[in-house]
Amino acid sequence: LGIIGSVLILAGFFAVDEGGTELSGSLDEVVANLTSLHGRIVVGSIIGILGGLALFGFATSLRIRLSREGAKGDWLGSVVLASTVVTAIGAIVQGSLRIAVAAIVSTNAPPDEMVQLWRFDRTTDVLFWGCLALVVTMCTAAYTVRLLPRALAAVGLVLVLANIILMPTDHGGVGLTLLLWLIAACSSLITRSKSRIGT
């Protein structure tokens, strides 16, 4: 679920919907561009929302896994669940607003009535901060209850620091590294679980 959720968010919001389609130019050009991308916006947003819901399923499973580590693991599991709820809400809000924009643009309303419709650049912040908190918590769990290899956790913390430093000048691209790290972390969890079963 963690891998599926991360892949769906990457595919939906950044591949199909082109990263939220940051637009510039005159109002007529913006509206024309949004109209031409109507189908991609709707499909990409739905895929991204499904990804957020899949991540929530992953978090509930991970919380159960962490609760086996005692009080410390139980606390970390609660933080994992809370941060993933924020991530899922961010995905749902982002997808819903993008679908709303596409729906209104497709009504052929006059351009001057749609001045603010496409300006939802900050809606991805909820998704970003939730994902950031999830990565930090999983990295913390690597050092406290050995959830993940510490080398992988160190890479995750470096990515978190880079995201925070570059956030004022970045438009979301560096945030993709957090989702890629989640895919690697989930793959590690699967591998470690299979090795324990094998022994």
Side-chain angles (χ1 to χ4, degrees), residues 48-193:
I49 289 172
L50 292 175
L53 295 176
L55 276 185
F56 179 73
F58 158 71
T60 57
S61 299
L62 186 56
R63 183 184 184 186
I64 294 171
R65 160 68 181 84
L66 287 169
S67 66
R68 300 174 191 158
E69 303 292 341
K72 190 179 295 184
D74 193 46
W75 180 83
L76 286 168
S78 298
V79 178
V80 162
L81 187 60
S83 59
T84 310
V85 166
V86 173
T87 306
I89 290 173
I92 292 169
V93 170
Q94 167 72 4
S96 299
L97 287 174
R98 292 291 293 170
I99 291 172
V101 168
I104 296 173
V105 168
S106 66
T107 62
N108 295 319
D112 57 357
E113 295 182 8
M114 296 187 287
V115 174
Q116 298 299 324
L117 286 182
W118 71 91
R119 299 192 183 281
F120 295 120
D121 293 344
R122 308 316 300 176
T123 59
T124 54
D125 284 358
V126 179
L127 174 62
F128 171 81
W129 284 108
C131 190
L132 199 72
L134 176 59
V135 172
V136 169
T137 307
M138 291 178 67
C139 290
T140 303
Y143 289 98
T144 54
V145 297
R146 300 195 177 185
L147 175 70
L148 296 167
R150 292 185 175 182
L152 181 61
V155 172
L157 292 175
V158 170
L159 293 178
V160 166
L161 184 60
N163 272 273
I164 293 174
I165 292 173
L166 296 174
M167 186 174 55
T169 59
D170 183 69
H171 298 290
V174 72
L176 299 179
T177 59
L178 298 176
L179 291 168
L180 294 173
W181 183 90
L182 277 176
I183 293 172
C186 292
S187 300
S188 175
L189 285 171
I190 293 171
T191 303
R192 288 162 70 91
S193 297

Side-chain angles (χ1 to χ4, degrees), residues 6-22:
S6 300
V7 169
L8 288 178
I9 290 175
L10 283 168
F13 291 139
F14 297 97
V16 179
D17 191 16
E18 299 182 350
T21 316
E22 186 184 351

